[in-house]
Amino acid sequence: MRRAIVAGVDGSPESLAAADWAAREAALRGVPLRIVHAWLWQPLDVPIVQDREVQTQSANAVLREAETRVSDRYPNLSVTAEVVPDTAVSALLAEADRAGMLALGSRGHGAIAGFLLGSYGQQVIAAATCPVVSVRAPGASAREAEDGGEVVVGQQGGAQDSDAVLGFAFEAAAARGATVRAVRAWSLPPIFAYSPGSMRLADEAGGLEPFERKALEQALAPWREKFPAVPVIEHVEIGSAGQVLLSAAARAQLLVLGRRVRRSPIGTRIGSVAHAALHHAACPVAVVPHA
């Protein structure tokens, strides 16, 4: 990944934490950081005084605070900052089209309020063309600023299904000297209900769990070869994918999940596993779009 990492800020502590995380990630990867604050003058049809100049100054102050903060901490990092005259979702999705990664605060106020409650932030995660990382407030996890540790990644389906997700996880682990813990959760009902040939395939592999382990091993093989210095832990466990991943990521630096790119009749969704992780994971959560 050589494109800039973008941090969306709104002045909240959570968004400043996202800017901090994005700055450290950009420094680790040797790429530029871009900070954006979406603000659009939209006079309200109410009988109150509305001062455009005051609001403009406020928007610029939000941006300056984040820019000064990360520039002081990472003086050698290339940082640009801009107030984008657009609505939050539209501005962030446009940024995502040009970025290598987008970082947002997990909770905030103003433009991206209710991030974990399914409003603006969820719309961005569901439709962004680049990975989106949700970062919690400062102090939520001291491990975020430490080298080493684990990057936990969820793997499902075949090798091609998880290429983008595993690639992101291995790159993140290599940048911070961390171990990849690749998690494959499985349960009986989907195997037998949706794949009549699973019993035969599982028997050939020596049983149901060995079948799952073999699938994970095959998915990891090309990434082990590409990143030979990154330690890997293979984690196969029966149970709900959301619960298994949250348990595995209890002490992780980063949790990486996939989001299948598709349109449903009732709109774009992020998936139940990503939804659970965004609500409950203590560490930053990266949601990676894939075909």
Side-chain angles (χ1 to χ4, degrees):
M1 184 190 73
R2 304 308 306 166
R3 291 185 291 177
I5 294 176
V6 175
V9 298
D10 66 358
S12 67
E14 289 80 4
S15 75
L16 291 176
D20 288 342
W21 188 92
R24 178 173 182 269
E25 194 72 13
L28 286 172
R29 293 173 181 255
V31 299
L33 172 68
R34 174 171 164 79
I35 304 173
V36 298
H37 174 53
W39 175 76
L40 185 64
W41 169 248
Q42 294 178 309
L44 302 175
D45 188 20
V46 293
I48 60 174
V49 176
Q50 300 173 63
D51 191 323
R52 178 170 184 168
E53 182 60 29
V54 169
Q55 293 187 31
T56 300
Q57 292 176 2
S58 177
N60 288 327
V62 167
L63 196 69
R64 284 196 304 273
E65 179 184 14
E67 182 181 16
T68 300
R69 179 185 177 105
V70 300
S71 295
D72 288 346
R73 295 184 179 187
Y74 301 93
N76 297 322
L77 180 63
S78 174
V79 181
T80 58
E82 182 181 358
V83 174
V84 180
D86 202 349
T87 59
V89 173
S90 178
L92 292 170
L93 289 178
E95 293 292 332
D97 287 341
R98 302 185 292 270
M101 187 190 314
L102 176 64
L104 301 175
S106 61
R107 287 187 186 275
H109 57 69
I112 55 174
F115 180 72
L116 292 184
L117 303 179
S119 59
Y120 297 108
Q122 183 164 313
Q123 292 179 51
V124 174
I125 292 174
T129 54
C130 75
V132 181
V133 183
S134 158
V135 182
R136 289 194 180 276
S141 175
R143 293 179 298 280
E144 295 168 20
E146 298 174 356
D147 290 329
E150 290 186 354
V151 171
V152 174
V153 57
Q155 190 276 327
Q156 61 179 352
Q160 293 184 343
D161 298 324
S162 52
D163 256 1
V165 183
L166 291 175
F168 184 94
F170 271 83
E171 288 177 2
R176 52 180 41 80
T179 295
V180 166
R181 178 178 291 272
V183 179
R184 184 177 174 98
W186 63 284
S187 57
L188 291 174
I191 292 177
F192 294 106
Y194 300 112
S195 179
S198 292
M199 178 64 83
R200 178 181 56 80
L201 293 173
D203 286 342
E204 291 175 359
L208 292 172
E209 185 164 341
F211 171 74
E212 298 293 336
R213 291 190 180 280
K214 184 176 181 180
L216 178 59
E217 181 182 342
Q218 291 174 339
L220 289 171
W223 298 105
R224 285 181 183 271
E225 184 176 350
K226 187 173 182 179
F227 294 90
V230 174
V232 180
I233 298 173
E234 297 181 19
H235 184 136
V236 176
E237 184 176 341
I238 186 169
S240 160
Q243 293 176 346
V244 170
L245 282 164
L246 285 170
S247 176
R251 299 189 59 80
Q253 274 205 42
L254 178 67
L255 173 58
V256 183
L257 303 170
R259 172 183 65 81
R260 191 175 297 280
V261 178
R262 58 188 175 191
R263 291 276 178 176
S264 72
I266 56 175
T268 304
R269 298 188 173 189
I270 63 174
S272 59
V273 176
H275 192 270
L278 289 165
H279 275 78
H280 301 294
C283 64
V285 178
V287 181
V288 181
H290 64 90

